[in-house]
């Protein structure tokens, strides 16, 4: 049998625990490479601000508290959140500083994708479990915008951001985030936010749904072929 998993770290864990050598196939969440690279969003992002976007869910292990504290120190930055529900800390931050924390509530997935393609920075908050990668991370990669990954520095997304030169990794601590935001704001003011990054679709083509489906097709074809050969030889 073949076990589909979402990360290489999960493969390593399964091999360590169960000895599943060669029995796993990494199939992460992907993105639609057939979608237009840049579509205008129905939400305005301003040129004179550093516009951050977070889309997805919040969990107890994925806390925005440090980011919210950092925003208070960088008033030129704004965080837009597209999520059905948000923690009380986010609601309070939006009440206290509506010019810096903007809550959109529910948006259709197509509108979310448009938003992702229009923001300055796409915010990812790392999972605590090192064998997991947030489902939105690869969707972010397909947006062609820089990632701001907040985590301990050894999470799966940080490795991807570094390897692909797709954005910035930052400790999920208020002072570190504020310092990073100030630098990114200066980069944007100088029209150099993307200058040293690789935001090309080619560099992330392997996590498109098309490429992921192709890998699954090859694996299933191989299994079917092996099965037929065993039947014929039996």
């Amino acid at each position: 049998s073949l076990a589909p998993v979402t990360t290489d770290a999960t493969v390593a864990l399964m091999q360590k625990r169960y000895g599943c050598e060669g029995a796993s196939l990494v199939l992460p969440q992907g993105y639609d490479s057939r979608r237009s690279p840049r579509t205008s969003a129905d939400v305005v992002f301003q040129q004179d601000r550093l516009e951050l976007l977070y889309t997805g869910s919040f969990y107890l292990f994925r806390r925005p508290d440090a980011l919210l504290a950092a925003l208070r120190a960088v008033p030129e930055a704004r965080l837009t959140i597209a999520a059905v529900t948000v923690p009380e800390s986010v609601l309070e931050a939006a009440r206290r500083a509506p010019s810096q924390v903007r809550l959109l509530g529910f948006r259709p997935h197509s509108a979310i994708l448009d938003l992702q393609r229009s923001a300055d920075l796409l915010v990812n908050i790392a999972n605590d479990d090192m064998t997991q990668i947030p489902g939105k991370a690869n969707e972010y990669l397909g947006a062609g915008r820089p990632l701001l990954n907040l985590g301990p520095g050894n999470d799966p997304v940080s490795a991807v951001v570094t390897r692909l030169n797709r954005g910035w990794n930052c400790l999920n601590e208020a002072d570190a985030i504020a310092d990073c935001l100030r630098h990114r704001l200066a980069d944007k003011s100088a029209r150099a936010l993307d200058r040293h990054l690789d935001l090309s679709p080619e560099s992330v083509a392997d996590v498109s749904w098309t490429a992921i489906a192709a890998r699954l097709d090859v694996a299933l074809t191989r299994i079917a072929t092996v099965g037929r050969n065993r039947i014929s030889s039996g």
Side-chain angles (χ1 to χ4, degrees):
S1 63
L2 185 68
V5 297
T6 57
T7 67
D8 292 325
T10 305
V11 174
L13 182 63
M14 291 181 65
Q15 290 175 351
K16 180 180 178 180
R17 289 184 177 179
Y18 310 112
C20 301
E21 189 71 34
S24 300
L25 177 65
V26 178
L27 297 172
Q29 179 170 322
Y31 73 92
D32 187 358
S33 59
R34 299 166 298 179
R35 187 177 175 83
S36 174
R38 183 65 65 90
T39 306
S40 60
D42 63 350
V43 175
V44 175
F45 291 113
Q46 297 177 356
Q47 288 300 314
D48 59 347
R49 310 195 69 157
L50 183 67
E51 299 279 15
L52 286 68
L53 175 67
Y54 182 91
T55 65
S57 301
F58 289 97
Y59 301 101
L60 291 177
F61 58 82
R62 193 182 296 161
R63 300 182 63 85
D65 304 71
L67 175 58
L68 297 174
L71 286 171
R72 293 197 292 270
V74 189
E76 302 89 349
R78 174 167 59 179
L79 173 64
T80 298
I81 298 174
V84 177
T85 59
V86 297
E88 179 59 35
S89 61
V90 173
L91 294 174
E92 175 58 29
R95 287 191 290 263
R96 184 179 60 248
S99 64
Q100 280 196 279
V101 180
R102 178 169 55 175
L103 304 181
L104 301 182
F106 170 79
R107 282 288 193 279
H109 190 238
S110 59
I112 293 291
L113 297 180
D114 293 340
L115 287 169
Q116 292 173 357
R117 285 155 175 75
S118 303
D120 292 326
L121 296 173
L122 303 176
V123 178
N124 180 72
I125 302 176
N127 288 355
D128 287 342
D129 189 337
M130 294 298 101
T131 65
Q132 296 178 350
I133 185 169
K136 286 289 179 180
N138 285 349
E139 187 175 280
Y140 278 175
L141 293 178
R145 300 304 303 143
L147 273 67
L148 175 60
N149 181 57
L150 308 178
N154 60 347
D155 58 283
V157 177
S158 69
V160 171
V161 169
T162 298
R163 175 172 55 85
L164 297 177
N165 189 26
R166 205 73 176 185
W168 296 272
N169 292 305
C170 181
L171 289 176
N172 195 15
E173 300 174 357
D175 289 345
I177 298 171
D179 188 56
C180 181
L181 294 182
R182 293 187 190 99
H183 282 88
R184 304 292 75 79
L185 183 63
D187 290 342
K188 183 177 180 180
S189 297
R191 297 185 178 181
L193 182 62
D194 307 350
R195 181 173 296 171
H196 301 296
L197 302 177
D198 181 1
L199 302 179
S200 67
E202 293 79 14
S203 65
V204 295
D206 64 317
V207 290
S208 69
W209 284 123
T210 301
I212 292 169
R215 292 199 294 275
L216 177 60
D217 181 66
V218 169
L220 294 178
T221 299
R222 186 182 299 120
I223 291 172
T225 300
V226 170
R228 286 195 299 269
N229 292 339
R230 286 177 177 173
I231 292 173
S232 61
S233 63

